[in-house]
Amino acid sequence: MLPGMSPVSHGLLSWLVGETLDIGRRGRIAVTTAGLAPDLDGLGAPVEMLSDGALPWFTAYHHAVLHNGLAGVVVSAIAWAWCRDWRVGLLAIAAFHLHLVCDIVGSRGPDGHDWPIPYLLPFHPWEWRWDGQWRLDSWQNLLVTGLALVAITVLAVRRGRSPVELLSPRWDQRVVETLRQRLGRSAGPGR
Ligand SMILES: [Zn+2]
């Protein structure tokens, strides 16, 4: 598993960032992808494992290549260009940084390593870290993910969509219908 919150948690939180403005499904796909993008630099993990460390791609690249401000600007520019909507670019950079903040706050490994973020690469080696960092498997991370799921459930009932829309609008409608049937009455007005 990658250091930092799980990609699922990053994805759910990023989708919620995309829900703060009415940017359409394409916009929310762009914003969620931007919020997941930093961890693409962890894809060297299987190579490192399979090569028994001879190719240390994970150690060398994770948190170095895409966990920095410059990568955030590039990713957000791509999101903006794909949707031609400045609000998408803005929310993409917000989701990207929320990912970095979550990594800083809650990714201490079992070995105590705190995975600092070299935010200013490649211009300066300064590392962003926080002394009070939670462990990756802490209750705080679970709580954040739990609260995100509650917010997503409420939005699904009220607005008629959930992160499942990223995969398939049809599956999403089924999820929403099921949630509405079970929770529709208790989730409040605005249906
Ligand atoms: Zn990360």
Side-chain angles (χ1 to χ4, degrees), residues 3 10 39 63 67 99 103:
H10 282 308
D39 280 345
H63 271 209
H67 286 68
H99 177 122
D103 278 1

Side-chain angles (χ1 to χ4, degrees), residues 1-14:
M1 185 147 122
L2 298 175
M5 275 185 172
S6 79
V8 173
S9 302
H10 282 308
L12 296 178
L13 289 170
S14 303

Side-chain angles (χ1 to χ4, degrees), residues 13-27:
L13 289 170
S14 303
W15 186 82
L16 283 171
V17 170
E19 271 291 346
T20 56
L21 294 174
D22 191 10
I23 52 176
R25 176 169 176 257
R26 190 182 172 100

Side-chain angles (χ1 to χ4, degrees), residues 8 11-16 19 25 28-29 32 148-149 151-153 155-156 160-169 171-172 175-176 179:
V8 173
L12 296 178
L13 289 170
S14 303
W15 186 82
L16 283 171
E19 271 291 346
R25 176 169 176 257
R28 288 188 293 276
I29 290 174
T32 305
L149 282 171
I152 282 166
T153 306
L155 285 175
R161 56 179 182 253
S162 79
V164 177
E165 72 166 356
L166 306 173
L167 305 172
S168 153
W171 295 350
D172 191 45
V175 170
V176 167
L179 285 174

Side-chain angles (χ1 to χ4, degrees), residues 16-150:
L16 283 171
V17 170
E19 271 291 346
T20 56
L21 294 174
D22 191 10
I23 52 176
R25 176 169 176 257
R26 190 182 172 100
R28 288 188 293 276
I29 290 174
V31 170
T32 305
T33 306
L36 287 169
D39 280 345
L40 288 178
D41 66 16
L43 289 181
V47 177
E48 179 158 339
M49 257 190 286
L50 292 173
S51 71
D52 234 355
L55 296 170
W57 288 7
F58 184 72
T59 310
Y61 301 130
H62 186 52
H63 271 209
V65 179
L66 292 173
H67 286 68
N68 60 65
L70 179 65
V73 171
V74 171
V75 165
S76 305
I78 294 170
W80 169 79
W82 191 51
C83 295
R84 292 278 152 183
D85 184 342
W86 62 269
R87 296 172 308 166
V88 172
L90 210 67
L91 293 182
I93 208 157
F96 186 95
H97 281 84
L98 181 62
H99 177 122
L100 299 191
V101 169
C102 287
D103 278 1
I104 289 292
V105 166
S107 63
R108 188 178 297 279
D111 58 354
H113 186 53
D114 64 350
W115 290 99
I117 287 182
Y119 186 76
L120 300 178
L121 282 186
F123 308 111
H124 193 278
W126 175 74
E127 289 185 325
W128 183 10
R129 59 186 355 135
W130 178 50
D131 287 343
Q133 191 181 51
W134 310 329
R135 281 176 54 119
L136 187 58
D137 53 1
S138 63
W139 62 267
Q140 290 97 330
N141 279 7
L142 273 176
L143 179 69
V144 169
T145 306
L147 288 175
L149 282 171
V150 169

